[in-house]
Amino acid sequence: MKHFKIIFTFTFLLLFGLNNAQKIGVVDTNEILNKLPQYKEAEARLNSQIDTWESELQSLQSEYERKKAAFESEKVLLIGDQLKLREKEVTDLDKNIKTTTSLRFGANGEITKLRTNLVQPFQDQIWGAIKTMSEKNGLGIVLDKSNNISVIFLQSKYDYTEKVLSILLKGTDKKEKTNSKGKK
């Protein structure tokens, strides 16, 4: 009888452990983002803004180089206040370039903020779709292979990227149909 209880307890714990094993799924959020048309449009707008700022910065830089060269060549001819005024003009332009570069392209610059504002809504949508997909498929853990997680081998049945993408695109298809009906 004692052996029966031990065997029964062991069998019960083994079955309980197997039933509670967590299923793991993997998604690639970069692939999902790259397949979302709205993200591509927003990224194109951001890149356009970056190009505009870079061209402004290049024109400031060329103006600085021109004024600095002119100042260096005329330096011997200038006296007193004229020398100080031209030197201040060149240094102010240099400071302006450095400030503009830092404000727009720095670690906490406008580009970083714009990129965060661009990606955040899409990340929220992706997280919601991942949650929906994981609940439907009974997944306990979902890994993102695009965030430097080394996945050495992955069977396709555990890659849920396309399922998440279909959930997201199904939502956008409904929105597009609603918008096109409203426009008619």
Side-chain angles (χ1 to χ4, degrees):
M1 187 71 167
K2 187 174 185 179
H3 293 293
F4 178 73
K5 286 183 181 179
I6 292 173
I7 292 172
F8 178 75
T9 304
F10 179 73
T11 306
F12 178 75
L13 289 175
L14 184 64
L15 289 174
F16 181 74
L18 290 176
N19 285 338
N20 287 330
Q22 296 293 317
K23 286 178 63 179
I24 296 176
V26 177
V27 296
D28 187 347
T29 55
N30 284 342
E31 182 181 338
I32 293 169
L33 281 173
N34 289 329
K35 289 186 177 179
L36 290 176
Q38 306 94 330
Y39 178 75
K40 287 181 179 180
E41 291 170 9
E43 191 173 40
R45 286 194 314 268
L46 176 68
N47 289 336
S48 172
Q49 183 64 51
I50 290 170
D51 291 343
T52 302
W53 286 341
E54 284 176 344
S55 66
E56 287 175 7
L57 202 57
Q58 285 174 350
S59 68
L60 279 175
Q61 188 68 35
S62 63
E63 181 183 352
Y64 168 74
E65 295 295 330
R66 185 178 44 78
K67 284 191 176 187
K68 183 177 179 185
F71 172 70
E72 291 296 326
S73 65
E74 296 172 357
K75 191 176 195 179
V76 290
L77 301 174
L78 299 173
I79 55 171
D81 289 341
Q82 290 177 333
L83 179 67
K84 289 179 184 177
L85 182 66
R86 295 283 298 275
E87 188 176 21
K88 184 177 180 343
E89 200 176 294
V90 171
T91 56
D92 286 348
L93 195 52
D94 185 41
K95 287 178 185 176
N96 185 18
I97 291 170
K98 289 177 182 174
T99 303
T100 303
T101 303
S102 175
L103 287 174
R104 293 205 174 137
F105 299 99
N108 293 321
E110 292 179 52
I111 289 178
T112 305
K113 291 174 186 173
L114 283 173
R115 193 171 304 279
T116 301
N117 290 339
L118 163 74
V119 173
Q120 189 65 44
F122 295 106
Q123 282 180 337
D124 292 344
Q125 288 177 351
I126 291 171
W127 295 170
I130 288 173
K131 184 177 182 212
T132 302
M133 180 275 309
S134 65
E135 289 171 353
K136 283 182 182 177
N137 293 293
L139 300 177
I141 299 171
V142 178
L143 303 174
D144 182 5
K145 69 180 178 181
S146 66
N147 287 335
N148 297 328
I149 294 178
S150 297
V151 177
I152 296 171
F153 174 74
L154 177 64
Q155 289 182 353
S156 60
K157 68 180 182 179
Y158 298 113
D159 189 349
Y160 292 90
T161 303
E162 290 301 321
K163 289 184 180 182
V164 171
L165 193 58
S166 69
I167 291 170
L168 288 170
L169 292 177
K170 194 182 302 181
T172 55
D173 290 344
K174 288 179 184 176
K175 288 178 186 174
E176 287 175 5
K177 288 178 183 175
T178 307
N179 288 342
S180 63
K181 286 181 183 176
K183 290 179 182 178
K184 290 182 180 180

